[in-house]
Every structure is written in C-alpha cells, then in structure tokens.
C-alpha cells in the first residue's frame, strides 16, 4: 500500500501546536499581561451594579406631562460579606422589627451566601438618605437605584397601563431581562415597552471588606452606560380625559373619542377606574389583589375588552349599505305601525310619525324602517341567494372596522363579532335561512358584537364620509418621531361619500331636529352635533345606554362613542355625556351647568352581577 | 484468556491514563463550578457533581465493553452502526424533546440522550470503512461520496437545529485531508473564511473593489502591462455603462452595480480571450467573478440565513459589537472569570465569579471558566497541555496503523477532539464565536461523556489489534 499523503501528518501536528499556542498566548495575555482583570487584593470582591435608565416619559397631545419617574432604591445584601453590626440601629433606619430582619436575612442566606439578593425593595428616598450616610457600618449591604412611575393626574389608568416585575416565563424567553427587572404589563407601558425601557447599563466595581468602593474593575472596560428610554407623545387630551372620567364616576361603561382626520384617540375612558398610582411601588401587589377581587372589575378595560350588541346605533351601517347597494334611496318611505310586522315576525317600535324617509327614520330611530331596508338588502335580486347578499353585507362591515381587531396600539383588544354566512348555515342548514330569520341584525341586536372602540371608529367613518385611520394612542415616538407606520395609512371603506349625506342629515336631526328626534337633550347652541342613540339589550339586567356622535357636522373635529351600562335609554344618559365632552373639547367651556350637574350626580348601580 | 491478556498488554495505556485523569479533573471541576452550600458532599446525587460520578462509572463500564468486544465487529458493523444512528437522528426530529430551541434529545424516564453525540462515532466508522475499501483510488471519485457520508448526518442535525454540532462535523474533513483530498479545497475554504470575516469588518463594496484591484495587480504580474491595460479599458467601459444603468434606470445599490459591471466585463472579455486564446487572463477573470459572487452570497447568507443571535455572536467575536446583556453577556462574564484567575488562580473552590452564578452554562459549555478562575494560567496551561498530549498521541497511534480503516478512524477521533478542544476553550476567551459545544470529559453530561469515551475506546481497541488482518 503506498501512502502518498503520509507527509500531511506533519501539517496536522503543526496544526495542533498552532492551535494550542493561540490559546496559550491569549490566556497569557488576559491572565498575566493584562493587569486590569485582577481583582487586586485578596479580599476584594466584584460588585455588579445595574444602571437602570430613566423610563421614557409620556406627554399628552398638547405637550402636558402625564407620566414621569421617581427614584426608588432597592437594598441588596451579600450574606458572606456581612459581619457583626448594630442591628438595632439598622432596623430603626429601615423601620423594621427584629423578627422581620431575621426573616429577611434567612431568606437571603437560603438563596445564596455569596450571591447578592434583595433584602428590601423600594425603600423611600428619605430612608435611602439616612442609610447611605451610615452604610459603612453595615458591610455586605448596598443600594441599587431604580425608577418608579409617577402620574401628574390620577387618570388614564387603563390606557397608560402599569409597570410590574418580569415573570419567569418571560425571563426564560428574553435575555435582556433579569429577575427583579421591571416591565410594562398593560396599556401603553406594555405596547411600547421596548421604546420606553431604554437600555440598562452596568458598572462593575471593586469593593473591599469594609464596603468601600475601590474603583471600577478593569478600568471600566466591562462597563456600559445606560441609555434612557424614548419619550412618547400621546394622542390623548389630558383635560378631556380627566373630564370624561369625572363624568363617568359612579357609572359603569366607557367613552372613546377620536379625531376623525387622523385616527388619534382624544380620550379613552373605562369606568369604574382607579388611580394609577395605586399600582406603583411597594403597595402594588396588595392593591392589585384588592382591585382584582373587586366585583365591579375596575381592572377591566371596557372600551377595548367588552363587546356589546350595538343596538340602534347600528342602523346607520345598515342604512349606508342599503344605499350603496342601491336597494333603498334617501327618499324611500316605509311605514311603521308601532313596529315591523312580517308574517309571524314582529319587531316592536316606539310611537312616532309614519311613514318616514331615511333621514327621519334615523332621527326617530324607527325600527320598522330599517327592518324593511335590511330585508331588501338581503333579498337583493342582484345576488343569487340571501347567503351571498349576506356575504357582501358583511364585507362592508369589515371594511368599516367591524368583526376584526382594529389594531390599536394597546393590548387585549377584542375583535368583536359579525356573523358570517357560514355561521347561520351551520345553525340552520345551508341556505335554509332568510332575511326574516336574522331580522334582529337590522336593528343591531342578535349575534353582533362590537366594542366601543369600533363604534367610535364607525362615528369616524361617518364623520370622514367614508374613510378612517386606525385609532391609536401614541402620535409621536421620540423627539423627532412619528407614530408607528400602521397608523399613517388611510383606509377607504368603499362606500361612496354621497351616500353618507342622508345619514348625516338624519344624525343632525336626531340631535337638533324637531319632535320625535331621540337625542334633543344633547343639542348644543353654537355647534351642530350629529348623533345616534342606541339601547343595547342586556339579558342580565337593565339595558345599556349608547350614543355615537361627531361634531361639527362639517369639517368634524371629534367623533365619540359613549356607553353607559345598565342605564336604560340612550338619550337619557349616554347622549348628555357625549354632548358635554364635545362642548368641552370644542369650546373649552361648559355653559350648560345644569346638564353637567345632572350627569355628575347620576349614580347608576350595576344590576345583576355574574 | 490468552487473547484477553494479550489485549490488555497491547492497549495504549498512555491514552487510557489521559482519559482517566481528564475525567477525574473534570469531575472535581464541576464540583467547584456548581458548588451548592447546602449539598457539600461531592457524592451528593441530587447535584451535578454527584451525577457526574455516576456518568463516569458508567463510562468506565462502557470502556470495558468496548475493549472486550472483538475489533472485527467494529469493522463489519461499521455501516450498520452508521445507519442506526441516521435512523435515530431522523427519529429525534419526530419524537424528540425540544431543549433550548433544538429538537435534539430523547427523554427516557429520568435520562436524556443526545443522538448527535453518538452519531459521530458511527460516521467515523462508516467513513473509515469507505476509505479503506477505496484505498487504491483517489481524487474526486473517492472524495465526493466520502463528503456525502459526512453531510448526511450534518443535514439531519441542521434540521434540529443544532448548529454547534454541525460545526463539529466539519472536523471529518481533516480525515479526508489526510487521506488525500486536494489541497486546493482546503486553501479555498480557508480563503473563503478569511474573505467572509474581512467582509464583516470592511463591508461588501470596499471588499469588492479590493478584489478587483488585486485581480488587476495579478494580471500585470502574470500577463504584463499591456494586457492589463486592455482589461482595465474594458472594465472602465462596462463600469460606466453599469453605473448609468444601475443608478438612473434601475435604481439599485452600488453593490449590484459592481456585479453587473463585472459580469458585463466578463461577457466582453471572455469572448476576447477565447478568440485570442489567452489562458491566464481568463483564469484570473474567473477568480474575480467567483470572488465577487461569493461576496454577495456570503452577505446574503449572513443576513438572511443566520439567525440574529448567531450573527451577533460572530460580530462580538470580531469585536464589532458588544451587546453586554444579550449575546455578549456570556463572553464578558467568561473573560472576567478567567482573566481574574491570574497566574495561579484563586484556589480550589474559591472562584467568586463562578460562585456568584454569573457565568451561564458554567458546568457545561463554559466549564473552562472554572479552570481558568480557580487554577489560573498554570492550571489552564496544564489542561491545554493534557489535550495536546492526547492529540499528539492520537496522531502517533493513527500513523502506526497498517490498515487504512483504523488510520482513517483514528484521524476522525483526532479531528473531533481537536475541534471540540479548540472551539470550546477558544470561545471562553473570545478567540472563537460562542458555539455551544462541550469540552470533552470536562463538561457535565452523560451523553457527551459516553459519546467521547466510546469514540476514543473503539480506536484504542482497534489499535490494540492492529497486527491482525481486518480487510
């Protein structure tokens, strides 16, 4: 056997030597030549101090500060570095008992004698001040600075969200966070966590046995500076938000107000609410448990996480679709004899003049008119079957933001529910159902579910005569920033602008019109408000009161949806609230004090719980 | 009986001793690395150090089994063993457990087995068997199938995905090198890696211009100034056209402009050189084209195929990024541990960094940190010395074989140990990017310990029977 390549073994031998040499030289360099790695004197220890940067601030649309930071301090201990000290003095500075002290030390020792653990979280600045002066007496203890949130006004709890500690599941998935780090857990704090948190820095220090800092390890080579969080400018008008929360006190429900030309949310109220400062710092876990146990569910954001049948406010959509499909005209007349009667089906209606055209049907909220219109839409001869017309009907709704999440920059948004053809096919059998089977959809009852956000978005679509931007709560990320790209895109619904006019006229009539109009209480003298009342049936108790509106009629500046739960007719409760908010936003002044008083005094207890 | 005692006397006891010493040192080191004050006994089975002793005992039993087995069995069953592990690698993709993002483990009761650790042994045997059978032939006809034998398991492992193990399989090419693979393959590979790293530092466009410049210089040297001038004229014209096209008509980046320019130059120049039968310029142009295309493939592969954390690790090794809380964290902590060890270390069980649980994976991939911190430069050099001794010993054993089968297998063992040794220790000191592979005999874990023991002892057994005829 000839072995032509035998000499290659020398190359491989050399390879081994070279590899080993590279390693040895590098080791020699970092272990011997480079003095900075040394931990110096035998008894020095390394201490890693995390630099937590200031979390990004949040401003309102006019530049008013809403959320900022306050300093907090965690007290850490490394048990093996402690030696006998005056525990009485120590406990007195911290304000703890000897039993408490022993318990905490035991926990720290159990965790590790040599690794640092948190002895006490979030000590106040005063305590920190006193402690810092005498810290040399307590070797093994040191302080790490943190930031906690502080609010300029006790409002916006749901939309701002709160900051909590990272949980284990996230720790496993994301390497940036260490145990004990804070992270935005809900609201804006959560959606914009990456921008708000900045980047942690680290200082590695050399510390001697007397708890004195001797300097930076390795001349600070392993240190990094913290990068502060990015500031955010919210779309919210803080004054409007405060006013909305004030009006909704003692009531359950929500308010969503949007600027139609941009999709910027001016106010997002969910009631009952709570002071966001309750969930900051040491009191957070206790308060959170209390809030969670409260039967009225104050932590629940009703504007986004609750889906209701929209009731009469939905008639506007059916009107628009009917016009667009050409099965009805603004002048189409339908009669109403205290209701809609078709064969075995009766849909009741309140007493009002008859017959009516479309704008008057809107102002008077006539059920019969819309039942007729809906039936014509589904029995459209242009399509092969009711099922096919239904698909098209649904498509219009989806284009207007119903049935799917809109994509607001807040977590936990519900998508609502618009039944599809397949839904009824499954229940009744394929194509074995007709317009009359699902007639309740005509007046916004039945299986439809919409969130207050989606209803406010609908008001926006009407205000804009057929288009919208996805509603969002942050308009500027960073000093030179812009909103996230998703929110700069205009969505065209495909319903022609001229089809909106009769409905706008009807909504104007509802507020400003003569007898029969359902929301006269909301009328403003100087500005034309266009609105639609609604009453959502509630099988568990009193009906919910709904009102959607926009103002002024031409070149609208605000679109709004107000929900008041368990309050009966929409005109009595939701409409005045919407009207006051519109007045506040557009004129910055409330002239109708009597109305404001009435609303503020209103207490609506939630009926039939669970 | 006669045969048994014969075997014992023919075993290479140097290797066996090195193996035992490393296992014991590894075990003591794991004790220091994950020392738990509440479980101070090194035999405590609830802790990793107690468990490692179990694995060591099992490894000894395995070693004995391997020695007792007739060496002809390894020869005859080479392909079966290889096939068996290919099956296991397929199976683990289906029913395996996902740990750390890779479906690489079988969990049977309280035990976890990683087939890719054992598949190396099967691949080594199959490769050796193949090269042995084709010992008279050489060149592409032999090397291509041999490469396929290696790439089979590699692709299955890449599907898990376990890129660390994939990297170690490239060690098998060292076997092919020794058995006659063309030197040019290896030179090109080295060149490719160097080009890749340089591109990371300097960027695609500067590198492309650099390659073009170098090509022209070579052209002057080889074919003379006039030829180069002509080539340069062609290039300038196509460059200009391509620039106009790219910038104004198509609106693409500078890098695409360069590619178009070079390709067009090739079209013109290729025709010209073919017509005039100029061989050298044509070859140089071919290299230029390949170089430019390689640059862009590499750029694409790095950004689109490698995952972000893998890109980060390479960037950190090159010093282009530091990422102290993400990928750079392991490296920083490792450097601090090892660097602070100084000349003679902090002493056994006195490592503050490892005690503080600062170094992640300190009982597995980063086990060398404990050596560096507690035993200092002396200890680190000692461990490296042991590995060098083992590696050179393996080389000597491999070279004294008369049967190509045993020699090729021996080189597999050598190559795998070399790669694990260099990559693992290298990554703890920043010479290699962080690639999660164990340090043989030191890292905690049954699979890796047994995998290496079997790998090593099959060679020891084959070597002991080197005077017998195999095939």
């Amino acid at each position: 056997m000839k072995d032509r390549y035998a000499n290659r073994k020398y190359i491989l031998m050399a390879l081994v030597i070279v590899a080993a040499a590279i390693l040895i030289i590098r080791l020699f360099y970092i272990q011997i030549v480079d003095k900075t790695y040394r931990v110096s004197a035998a008894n020095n220890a390394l201490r890693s101090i995390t630099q937590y940067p200031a979390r990004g601030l949040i401003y309102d649309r006019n530049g008013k500060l809403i959320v900022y930071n306050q300093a907090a301090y965690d007290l850490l201990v490394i048990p093996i570095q402690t030696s006998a000290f005056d525990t009485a003095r120590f406990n007195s500075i911290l304000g703890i008992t000897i039993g408490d002290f022993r318990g905490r030390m035991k926990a720290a020792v159990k965790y590790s004698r040599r690794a640092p653990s948190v002895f006490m979280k979030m000590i106040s600045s005063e305590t920190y001040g006193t402690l810092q002066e005498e810290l040399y007496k307590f070797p093994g203890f040191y302080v790490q600075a943190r930031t906690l949130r502080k609010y300029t006004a006790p409002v916006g709890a749901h939309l701002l969200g709160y900051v909590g500690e990272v949980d284990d599941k996230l720790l496993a998935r994301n390497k940036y966070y260490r145990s004990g780090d804070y992270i935005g857990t809900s609201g804006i704090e959560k959606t914009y966590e990456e921008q708000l948190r900045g980047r942690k820095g680290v200082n590695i220090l050399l510390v001697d046995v007397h708890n004195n800092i001797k300097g930076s390890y390795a001349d600070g080579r392993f240190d990094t500076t913290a990068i502060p969080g990015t500031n955010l400018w919210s779309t919210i008008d803080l004054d409007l938000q405060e006013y909305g929360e004030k009006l909704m006190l003692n009531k359950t429900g929500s308010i969503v107000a949007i600027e139609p030309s941009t999709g910027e949310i001016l106010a997002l109220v969910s009631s009952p609410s709570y002071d966001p400062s309750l969930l900051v710092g040491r009191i957070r876990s206790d308060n959170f448990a209390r809030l969670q146990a409260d039967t009225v569910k104050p932590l629940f954001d009703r504007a986004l996480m609750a889906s209701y049948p929209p009731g009469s406010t939905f008639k506007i959509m059916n009107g628009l679709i009917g016009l667009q499909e050409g099965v009805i005209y603004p002048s189409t007349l339908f009669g109403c004899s205290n209701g809609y009667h078709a064969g075995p089906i009766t849909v009741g209606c309140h007493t009002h003049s008859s017959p009516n055209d479309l704008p008057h049907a809107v102002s008077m909220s006539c059920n019969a008119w819309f039942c007729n219109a809906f039936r014509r839409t589904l029995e459209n001869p242009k399509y092969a079957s009711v099922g096919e017309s239904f698909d098209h009907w649904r498509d219009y709704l989806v284009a207007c933001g119903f049935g799917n999440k809109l994509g607001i920059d807040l977590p936990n948004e519900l998508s609502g529910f618009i039944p599809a053809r397949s839904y009824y096919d499954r229940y009744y059998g394929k194509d074995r159902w007709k317009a009359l089977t699902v007639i309740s959809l005509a007046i916004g009852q039945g299986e439809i579910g919409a969130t207050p956000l989606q209803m406010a978005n609908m008001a926006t679509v009407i205000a804009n005569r057929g288009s919208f931007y996805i509603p969002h709560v942050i308009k500027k990320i960073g000093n030179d920033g812009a909103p996230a790209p998703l929110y700069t895109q205009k969505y065209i619904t495909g319903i022609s602008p001229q089809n909106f006019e009769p409905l706008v006229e009807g909504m104007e009539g509802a507020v400003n019109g003569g007898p029969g109009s359902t929301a006269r209480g909301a009328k403003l003298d100087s500005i034309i408000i266009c609105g639609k009342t609604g009453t959502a049936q509630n099988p568990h108790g009193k009906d919910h009161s709904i009102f959607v509106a926009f103002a002024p009629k031409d070149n609208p500046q605000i679109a709004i949806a107000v929900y008041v739960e368990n309050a009966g007719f929409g005109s009595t409760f939701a409409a005045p609230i919407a009207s006051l908010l519109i007045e506040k936003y557009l004129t910055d002044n409330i002239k109708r004090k009597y109305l404001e008083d009435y609303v503020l005094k209103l207490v609506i207890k939630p009926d039939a719980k669970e | 009986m006669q045969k048994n005692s014969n075997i014992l006397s023919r075993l290479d006891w140097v290797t066996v001793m090195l193996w035992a010493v490393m296992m014991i040192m590894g075990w003591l080191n794991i004790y220091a690395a994950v020392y738990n004050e509440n479980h101070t006994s090194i035999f405590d089975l609830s802790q990793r150090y107690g468990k490692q002793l179990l694995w060591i005992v099992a490894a000894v039993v395995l070693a004995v089994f391997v020695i007792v087995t007739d060496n002809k069995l390894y020869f005859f069953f080479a392909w079966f063993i290889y096939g068996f592990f290919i099956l296991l690698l397929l199976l683990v993709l289906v029913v395996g457990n996902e740990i750390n993002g890779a479906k690489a483990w079988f969990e049977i009761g309280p035990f976890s087995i990683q087939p890719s650790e054992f598949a190396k042994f099967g691949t080594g045997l199959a490769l050796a068997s193949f090269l042995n059978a084709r010992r008279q032939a050489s060149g592409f006809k032999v090397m291509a199938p041999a490469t396929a034998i290696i790439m089979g398991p590699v692709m299955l492992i890449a599907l898990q995905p376990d890129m660390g193990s994939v990297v170690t399989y490239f060690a098998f090419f060292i076997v092919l090198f020794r058995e006659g693979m063309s030197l040019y393959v290896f030179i090109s590979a080295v060149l490719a890696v160097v080009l890749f790293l340089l591109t990371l530092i300097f960027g695609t466009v500067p590198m492309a211009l650099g390659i073009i410049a170098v090509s022209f210089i070579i052209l002057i040297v080889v074919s003379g100034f006039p030829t180069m001038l002509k080539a340069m004229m062609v290039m300038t014209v196509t460059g200009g056209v391509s620039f106009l096209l790219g910038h104004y008509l198509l609106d693409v980046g500078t890098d695409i402009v360069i590619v178009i320019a070079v390709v067009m130059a090739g079209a013109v120049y290729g025709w010209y050189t073919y017509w005039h039968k100029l061989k050298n310029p044509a070859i140089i142009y071919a290299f230029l084209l390949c170089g430019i295309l390689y640059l862009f493939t590499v750029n694409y592969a790095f950004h689109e195929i490698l995952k972000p954390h893998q890109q980060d690790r390479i960037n950190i090794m090159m010093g282009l990024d530091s990422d102290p809380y993400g990928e750079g964290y392991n490296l920083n902590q490792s450097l601090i541990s090892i660097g602070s060890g100084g000349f003679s270390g902090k002493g056994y069980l006195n490592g503050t960094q490892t005690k503080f649980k600062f170094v992640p994976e300190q009982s597995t991939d980063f086990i060398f940190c404990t050596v560096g911190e507690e035993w200092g430069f002396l200890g680190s050099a000692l461990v490296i010395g042991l590995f060098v001794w083992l590696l050179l010993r393996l080389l000597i054993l491999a070279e004294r074989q008369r049967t190509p089968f045993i020699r090729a297998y021996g080189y597999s063992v050598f190559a795998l140990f070399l790669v694990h040794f260099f990559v693992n220790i290298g990554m703890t000191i920043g010479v290699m990017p962080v690639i999660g592979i164990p340090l043989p005999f030191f890292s905690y874990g049954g699979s890796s310990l047994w995998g290496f023991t079997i790998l090593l002892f099959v060679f020891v057994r084959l070597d002991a029977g080197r005077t017998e005829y195999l095939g």
Side-chain angles (χ1 to χ4, degrees), chain A residues 465-533:
Chain A
R465 306 335 191 237
S467 66
F468 68 96
Y469 289 85
I470 297 184
H472 51 284
V473 292
I474 296 292
K475 61 188 288 178
K476 202 159 81 124
I477 304 173
N479 287 328
D480 304 308
L486 180 64
Y487 305 116
T488 53
Q489 214 190 350
K490 189 171 187 178
Y491 286 82
I492 312 285
T493 57
I495 301 177
S496 323
Q498 65 262 26
N499 286 331
F500 283 86
E501 290 315 321
L503 285 129
V504 170
E505 207 189 303
M507 287 171 80
E508 178 185 358
V511 177
N512 302 288
S517 30
T518 53
R520 278 169 306 167
K523 181 171 167 188
L524 257 190
D525 280 330
S526 43
I527 300 167
I528 304 180
I529 297 180
C530 297
K532 180 78 195 76
T533 52

Side-chain angles (χ1 to χ4, degrees), chain B residues 210-354:
Chain B
I211 294 183
I212 294 178
V214 167
S215 311
F216 278 116
I217 295 175
I218 300 180
L219 196 55
I220 299 184
V221 168
V222 169
S223 300
F225 203 68
T227 322
M228 188 220 76
L229 261 185
K230 286 190 203 136
M232 192 174 273
M233 274 190 331
V234 175
M235 205 47 182
T236 326
V237 170
T238 58
V241 172
S242 167
F243 178 73
L244 288 171
L245 247 186
H247 230 107
Y248 297 109
L249 212 62
L250 294 172
D251 190 31
V252 289
T254 324
D255 41 359
I256 310 279
V257 166
I258 295 182
V259 176
I260 300 179
V262 170
V263 171
M264 285 202 310
V268 173
Y269 205 58
W271 175 85
Y272 176 76
T273 53
Y274 177 72
W275 190 254
H276 292 264
K277 303 221 187 312
L278 297 170
K279 189 165 151 211
N280 283 335
I283 296 182
I284 295 176
Y285 173 75
F287 271 112
L288 170 62
L289 185 64
C290 287
I292 301 281
L293 289 176
Y294 172 71
L295 270 185
F296 294 110
T297 324
V298 139
N299 192 37
Y300 177 79
F302 182 71
H303 286 109
E304 306 297 328
I305 298 183
L306 277 188
K307 298 210 188 71
H309 72 270
Q310 289 163 331
Q311 297 175 26
D312 285 343
R313 287 176 177 181
I314 297 181
N315 278 331
I316 289 171
M317 177 198 75
M318 297 295 295
L320 298 170
D321 188 10
S322 66
D323 197 11
Y325 274 102
E327 293 301 325
Y329 183 74
N330 290 12
L331 177 61
N332 275 359
Q333 294 303 328
S334 176
L335 283 174
I336 294 177
S337 305
I338 298 179
S340 64
F343 185 70
S344 56
K346 295 179 183 160
Y348 189 53
L349 297 184
N350 284 339
T352 51
Q353 291 306 103
T354 47

Side-chain angles (χ1 to χ4, degrees), chain A residues 1 11 20 27 35 44 65 86 98 121 155 161 175 237 245 291 300 333 417 422 446 471 510 512 542-543 563 584 597:
Chain A
M1 269 172 288
I11 299 184
L27 276 169
K35 295 257 181 284
N44 276 357
L65 189 58
D86 184 356
I98 185 73
K121 276 196 259 212
V155 297
K175 284 206 213 136
D237 182 319
E245 293 202 17
L291 289 170
F300 186 67
L333 291 172
F417 182 68
S422 51
N512 302 288
K542 242 172 137 189
D543 292 341
Y563 274 66
K584 175 88 172 158
D597 273 344

Side-chain angles (χ1 to χ4, degrees), chain B residues 35-147:
Chain B
Y35 177 71
N36 187 328
E37 295 119 7
N38 300 323
H39 296 267
T40 50
S41 166
I42 194 174
F43 301 102
D44 192 328
L45 285 177
S46 68
Q47 301 301 304
R48 287 194 159 183
Y49 24 98
K51 290 192 188 145
Q52 187 74 354
L53 185 61
L54 270 184
W55 310 150
I56 291 178
V57 167
V60 172
V61 171
L62 269 177
V64 169
F65 269 121
V66 168
I67 296 297
V68 160
T69 315
D70 195 296
N71 58 343
K72 291 195 190 54
L73 285 177
Y74 298 115
F75 183 72
F76 284 124
F77 287 110
W79 286 98
F80 288 106
I81 298 176
Y82 177 66
F84 173 68
F85 283 110
I86 295 279
L87 274 176
L88 278 189
L89 283 176
L90 279 167
L91 198 64
V92 81
L93 288 174
V94 178
V95 298
N97 284 25
E98 199 166 312
I99 299 183
N100 282 340
K103 251 190 171 187
W105 296 80
F106 287 119
E107 241 161 75
I108 308 175
F111 298 106
S112 296
I113 305 266
Q114 197 179 16
S116 50
E117 286 296 321
F118 297 95
K120 290 172 189 159
F121 154 63
T123 312
L125 281 178
L127 191 62
S129 174
F130 179 76
L131 291 171
N132 186 57
R134 304 288 218 95
R135 71 185 80 156
Q136 303 295 357
S138 64
F140 189 72
K141 285 191 305 245
V142 175
M143 290 302 152
T147 309

Side-chain angles (χ1 to χ4, degrees), chain B residues 10-30:
Chain B
R10 310 202 71 166
L11 284 183
D12 184 68
W13 288 101
V14 175
T15 307
V16 176
M17 175 210 68
L18 283 170
W19 166 76
V21 166
M22 286 202 216
M23 280 201 307
I24 302 291
M25 279 185 77
W27 178 48
L28 293 173
N29 212 39
I30 291 175

Side-chain angles (χ1 to χ4, degrees), chain B residues 392-406:
Chain B
L392 292 177
R393 186 77 191 158
L394 288 172
L395 267 184
I396 295 173
L397 293 186
E399 284 302 328
R400 76 181 182 189
Q401 303 304 324
R402 292 187 227 147
T403 321
F405 172 75
I406 310 180

Side-chain angles (χ1 to χ4, degrees), chain B residues 175-189:
Chain B
V175 181
L176 295 188
F177 174 72
R178 171 61 182 83
E179 296 299 323
M181 193 175 221
S182 156
L183 205 55
Y184 289 117
V185 174
F186 293 93
I187 295 181
S188 314

